[in-house]
Amino acid sequence: MKIVFANSAWVSAAERLILRDGSWQKIRLPVRYGLIIHPRAGPVLVDTGYTPHAISGAQRGAALRFYGSALKPELIETGQPVQVLARFGLTPQDVRAVVVTHFHADHISGLALFPNARFIANDAAWARLKTKTAWQNLRHGVFPELFPNDFESRLDGLSSMEQIVSRGDTPGGADLFGDGSVIAVDLPGHADGQFGLLFAQMKRPLLYAVDVQWLVKALVETRTPGFPASLLAEDFAAIEPSSAVLRRFMATGGEVMLCHDPGPTEYDLTPEGG
Ligand SMILES: [Zn+2]
């Protein structure tokens, strides 16, 4: 099984907003997404990163237009899913599944690109999303126009999958491919139903913890940012317990990777070629 991560876009934020007692200096942050090439499940994406759909798509509602102009993500042409897949001799039609870790725009923006993909997501969170008003979803950074119309019929919910129990400080969760190679670990706090992916069978186990924190530093130094980050979190009180799960996993030798941390990792593709 091969795992790589690409950077779809740069966003920037004052460090203080994402690191308690950080500086006011702006830092540039990547928006990662992953590509797993699984021997049986085939090419599977982990989220889609930011694509033009969230930033310039014609069908965007007013709120998404505002969001795009306020955040001003700078898309990286060579880091877009179509280009990254091409580096592996693949097209969007070849993608068999997209794992949707949570429903924020920078994770689901490109779902419409993959006509043959199943969507592996937290079905309980999807059911809750459907009962919310447009305004409630908006407040939590969820833009319904980014979901393909047939999202639900292509949904493979975590609740229908075999659950692997946690062992010691190694967390458990839904076994995505039925072979223990990729386990969906619940990581509440940042967004409703957010889960990370544990690659438990690697020499050094890897847990892709998505948006539990923005910075690894905030995680290892226990510097969860307070206000105003607390306003944006789905469940602010759950961020610290989720962070503690990650710290325990790291203490046993596991590696934790985040979507937006600017530090390079061994799984990151180089911007071009390579
Ligand atoms: Zn998010």
Side-chain angles (χ1 to χ4, degrees):
M1 189 173 77
K2 186 175 179 63
I3 306 162
V4 295
F5 283 83
N7 182 13
S8 62
W10 293 106
V11 292
S12 56
E15 188 188 56
R16 206 179 180 89
L17 297 180
I18 52 180
L19 179 69
R20 180 157 41 88
D21 299 326
S23 74
W24 285 109
Q25 199 167 348
K26 277 205 162 192
I27 44 181
R28 281 178 108 207
L29 306 166
V31 181
R32 289 186 176 90
Y33 63 97
L35 170 64
I36 302 172
I37 301 181
H38 186 274
R40 198 177 39 78
V44 172
L45 285 177
V46 181
D47 299 321
T48 70
Y50 263 132
T51 65
H53 306 80
I55 293 155
S56 54
Q59 78 286 49
R60 292 172 308 152
L64 186 52
R65 282 168 197 273
F66 173 76
Y67 177 90
S69 59
L71 274 173
K72 288 203 191 64
E74 290 168 53
L75 294 185
I76 300 168
E77 184 71 29
T78 54
Q80 289 291 300
V82 176
Q83 279 84 340
V84 168
L85 287 165
R87 284 167 66 170
F88 294 89
L90 298 166
T91 69
Q93 285 73 21
D94 296 323
V95 173
R96 302 249 294 269
V98 182
V99 179
V100 182
T101 62
H102 63 292
F103 301 132
H104 284 166
D106 53 332
H107 298 263
I108 67 162
S109 168
L111 291 182
L113 291 168
F114 309 103
N116 303 321
R118 302 288 301 172
F119 299 125
I120 299 172
N122 184 324
D123 44 328
W126 170 252
R128 286 190 290 272
L129 180 155
K130 287 199 303 176
T131 67
K132 287 177 183 156
T133 63
W135 175 246
Q136 286 169 323
N137 278 325
L138 208 67
R139 242 207 76 208
H140 291 291
V142 174
F143 302 96
E145 63 266 48
L146 293 175
F147 292 95
N149 290 332
D150 57 357
F151 181 83
E152 191 164 272
S153 64
R154 293 160 66 189
L155 176 63
D156 287 335
L158 299 184
S159 71
S160 64
M161 297 172 189
E162 183 120 20
Q163 301 292 311
I164 289 183
V165 293
S166 53
R167 270 187 306 127
D169 289 326
T170 302
D175 182 4
L176 297 196
F177 306 124
D179 61 358
S181 63
V182 188
I183 299 164
V185 176
D186 275 334
L187 293 170
H190 169 74
D192 189 14
Q194 176 180 250
F195 61 92
L197 295 182
L198 171 62
F199 302 93
Q201 296 165 350
M202 299 176 66
K203 199 180 292 168
R204 185 181 179 198
L206 171 69
L207 207 172
Y208 178 55
V210 204
D211 292 354
V212 169
Q213 297 280 353
W214 288 71
L215 300 177
V216 170
K217 194 172 180 168
L219 177 64
V220 299
E221 296 179 3
T222 318
R223 292 170 69 183
T224 298
F227 183 85
S230 52
L231 278 186
L232 303 172
E234 168 75 22
D235 179 4
F236 183 65
I239 291 178
E240 249 324 295
S242 287
S243 299
V245 166
L246 300 180
R247 285 192 293 268
R248 286 196 297 271
F249 175 73
M250 289 165 106
T252 63
E255 179 176 4
V256 167
M257 202 177 151
L258 299 170
C259 178
H260 302 294
D261 187 87
T265 79
E266 63 177 296
Y267 300 100
D268 288 320
L269 286 170
T270 51
E272 279 189 75

